Amino acid sequence: MLGIDLLTAGALLTLVGNTIEIKCDMAPTTKINVIPTTEPIKYDMSRSVTQIQGGKSGTVNPHSFGGVSVTQGFMEGSISMRPTVKMGYATYKKLNLGCVWYEQIDIKMNITPRIVIGKEVAADKCMKPAVLEHELKHVKVDRQVVNKYSAIMGKKVHDEIAKRGFVAGPIPVEQMQSTVARMQETVGQIVELEYRKMDIERTELQRGVDSLEEYNRVQATCPDFNPLAKTRQR
């Protein structure tokens, strides 16, 4: 809930004829910060290869419909994006008017990488580093995507808000609360649209990592390794 108080510092009141005109040009330049962060990579090597077959990597299986593939590991990390909007305002009770503006917009982008590797794979000195190297490529893609879109996001939010205005007013005091809500909602909509674009690009890049050539390369590193055979021996 936005509290409405009397704030006159920095206000510009101009006498035009016999009326007072308010100009909402007291607002400072809006600060827009994009803050990319990444959590430490978490590893899960507690489940068998059979148990992780239902895991979803978010990419498309490159094998033919007649081919059989075995998931030896996957990366199930996510990228979150959360905007926080701080508003500034000034009101003039005698005139029942006010101004509102964007004071600061923070957009936090966070990666939570988690790599799952079947325990039979984790126990093999040859296949474990091969699979781990592959899954770390997925983590690298996420970091590259976040770095790219952290730069894009700041400019996009600035440009889109500039089209609508960083300051609203003068407006009736009773409309200030709803105006603030619309201004905050607009930031959320801009960020959501860019997030969808980022997610599409991320999916395409992650599919590139999971190419058939890459799968064959990993398998060729340890050609005698058969995780399902190791499972049946237990």
Side-chain angles (χ1 to χ4, degrees), residues 16-129:
V16 181
N18 293 322
T19 63
I20 295 178
E21 181 182 88
I22 299 177
K23 293 183 179 180
C24 296
D25 56 1
M26 76 292 288
T29 301
T30 303
K31 296 179 181 179
I32 301 177
N33 305 307
V34 181
I35 309 161
T37 59
T38 180
E39 301 294 327
I41 301 174
K42 293 183 178 180
Y43 298 91
D44 180 2
M45 304 181 187
S46 63
R47 291 175 282 170
S48 69
V49 170
T50 300
Q51 290 172 324
I52 69 172
Q53 292 312 295
K56 296 182 178 180
S57 64
T59 61
V60 178
N61 191 329
H63 293 83
S64 65
F65 293 116
V68 177
S69 63
V70 177
T71 299
Q72 302 187 98
F74 58 90
M75 197 278 288
E76 59 177 9
S78 62
I79 301 176
S80 62
M81 192 179 295
R82 180 180 178 183
T84 302
V85 182
K86 182 179 180 181
M87 306 296 295
Y89 59 93
T91 61
Y92 310 95
K93 289 184 176 179
K94 291 184 178 180
L95 300 175
N96 195 41
L97 294 173
C99 309
V100 293
W101 60 85
Y102 292 106
E103 186 171 316
Q104 183 167 317
I105 300 171
D106 292 331
I107 304 166
K108 296 181 180 180
M109 302 175 68
N110 188 49
I111 306 172
T112 54
R114 184 168 180 263
I115 293 176
V116 178
I117 296 178
K119 60 183 179 181
E120 297 89 351
V121 178
D124 190 88
K125 293 181 180 180
C126 178
M127 188 55 79
K128 178 183 177 181

Side-chain angles (χ1 to χ4, degrees), residues 135-178:
E135 299 308 332
L136 287 173
K137 290 181 180 180
H138 286 295
V139 177
K140 183 179 180 180
V141 165
D142 275 1
R143 289 173 176 169
Q144 290 173 335
V145 168
V146 166
N147 286 337
K148 175 181 178 179
Y149 275 85
S150 62
I152 292 175
M153 187 62 65
K155 185 177 186 305
K156 189 66 174 181
V157 169
H158 176 277
D159 293 348
E160 289 299 320
I161 292 177
K163 295 176 184 178
R164 299 162 175 83
F166 289 92
V167 182
I171 55 176
V173 168
E174 58 270 19
Q175 295 179 14
M176 289 178 68
Q177 189 66 58
S178 60

